[in-house]
Amino acid sequence: MIPPSFDYTRPSSVEEAVRALSEGGEDAKVLAGGQSLLPLLRLRLAFPELVVDVGRVPGLTGVREDGETLVIGALTTHHDVVRDPLVRRHAGLLAAATAGVGDPAVRHRGTVGGSLAHADPAGDLPAVVLALDAELIATGPGGRRAIPAREFFVDYLQTALEPDELLVEIRIPKADGWGFHYEKFHRVAQSWAIVGVAALVRRDDGHIAEARVGLTNMGSTPLRASATEEALTGSADGPAVTRAAESAAEGTRPSRDLSGSPEYRAHLARVLTRRAVLAAAGMG
């Protein structure tokens, strides 16, 4: 399908991009890798009057260390995230989940920042950055501001970004010493997750000392399975993890669609949480 007509601009700096977004207001959309926006345009599910192409803005790619924090430029592609040695060493959960995003073509074009700003609850990365306690850095007319991941995802396809703000980087505390695993269930390869679970586990003296569990596609935003996280503390074996995973769907509001009912998704959340936590804890 032919997309609707729109104006197009390609800024050469963050400042130019912010200015264009400010002038375009709510009728402007950001184009990065294009793997989220272009399908919406083709299907006429989005009708922007202005598309701001930030794909060539310098300084928004790459991974670096800042003390105990990993800093990832918003325009870093999925492919580069998966292959980056710093991500593999300090945020292995992100590398593992990103490796399953789309297909190689999508991963070579799509960007981590674009995926997060799109805020699809069925996407893999929102639940992952939630479990990693990441901060997302936005730049607008008033300068830079940090938005905790737990506050970034507001509703379905909606974030805390203002219309004149641009996501520029993701800051992730290093998770050295934590076990991790991303488990998702989907009908066919390359499709959206029906349900996904991002698990981080820190063990001490044979017991789970701390756990974080992010849920994909269990509501209009990514969620943390707080009840399960609390129940996992002190767990030392498979049966204890299984009992904790039974509360994974508490407080969630999964949708009903052709892929499954809310009850089915709740069942998947419990099963996948058990698998993910056992794998992350090295108990599987």
Side-chain angles (χ1 to χ4, degrees):
M1 184 178 292
I2 300 173
S5 62
F6 52 81
D7 292 329
Y8 172 88
T9 184
R10 177 182 282 176
S12 58
S13 68
V14 171
E15 293 74 21
E16 285 185 20
V18 168
R19 186 160 55 250
L21 290 173
S22 182
E23 293 172 355
E26 294 187 357
D27 294 321
K29 290 290 186 182
V30 174
L31 174 67
Q35 301 306 296
S36 298
L37 179 60
L38 293 182
L40 294 180
L41 293 176
R42 286 198 299 268
L43 294 172
R44 295 206 170 208
L45 296 175
F47 297 85
E49 293 187 5
L50 173 67
V51 171
V52 181
D53 183 351
V54 299
R56 295 189 181 180
V57 173
L60 298 184
T61 60
V63 181
R64 62 181 174 86
E65 295 178 272
D66 183 9
E68 294 302 309
T69 301
L70 207 59
V71 183
I72 303 173
L75 292 186
T76 307
T77 65
H78 301 310
H79 171 78
D80 288 344
V81 166
V82 172
R83 293 173 60 88
D84 190 273
L86 289 175
V87 176
R88 288 175 174 269
R89 185 180 310 127
H90 302 298
L93 176 62
L94 178 62
T98 306
V101 171
D103 56 28
V106 168
R107 292 193 292 273
H108 274 81
R109 290 291 304 168
T111 65
V112 61
S115 179
L116 296 174
H118 185 51
D120 193 325
D124 299 304
L125 302 191
V128 169
V129 298
L130 196 61
L132 286 166
D133 279 343
E135 279 189 335
L136 294 96
I137 309 301
T139 296
R144 288 163 60 99
R145 70 180 179 115
I147 310 169
R150 63 182 179 276
E151 300 174 7
F152 185 79
F153 305 101
V154 175
D155 204 343
Y156 182 71
L157 303 184
Q158 296 180 31
T159 72
L161 289 171
E162 297 294 338
D164 56 2
E165 286 185 318
L166 179 68
L167 180 62
V168 294
E169 66 186 32
I170 300 93
R171 299 179 63 88
I172 299 174
K174 293 179 180 179
D176 298 358
W178 289 66
F180 61 86
H181 188 76
Y182 186 69
E183 185 87 17
K184 69 176 177 178
F185 185 83
H186 47 186
R187 290 178 297 154
V188 295
Q190 305 167 13
S191 67
W192 297 103
I194 298 175
V195 173
V197 176
L200 276 170
V201 173
R202 181 174 62 83
R203 297 186 69 184
D204 183 26
D205 194 26
H207 294 74
I208 293 177
E210 187 177 356
R212 302 181 199 157
V213 179
L215 300 176
T216 295
N217 214 7
M218 286 297 290
S220 60
T221 66
L223 300 168
R224 287 275 287 269
S226 301
T228 291
E229 291 177 348
E230 293 177 9
L232 283 170
T233 302
S235 298
D237 54 29
V241 170
T242 299
R243 290 192 296 272
E246 285 301 307
S247 58
E250 287 186 10
T252 66
R253 299 184 65 182
S255 63
R256 180 186 300 274
D257 56 28
L258 294 177
S259 295
S261 66
E263 295 78 14
Y264 178 58
R265 283 193 163 90
H267 167 73
L268 284 177
R270 293 189 288 269
V271 172
L272 299 183
T273 296
R274 174 182 176 275
R275 292 179 185 175
V277 171
L278 287 174
M283 297 179 181

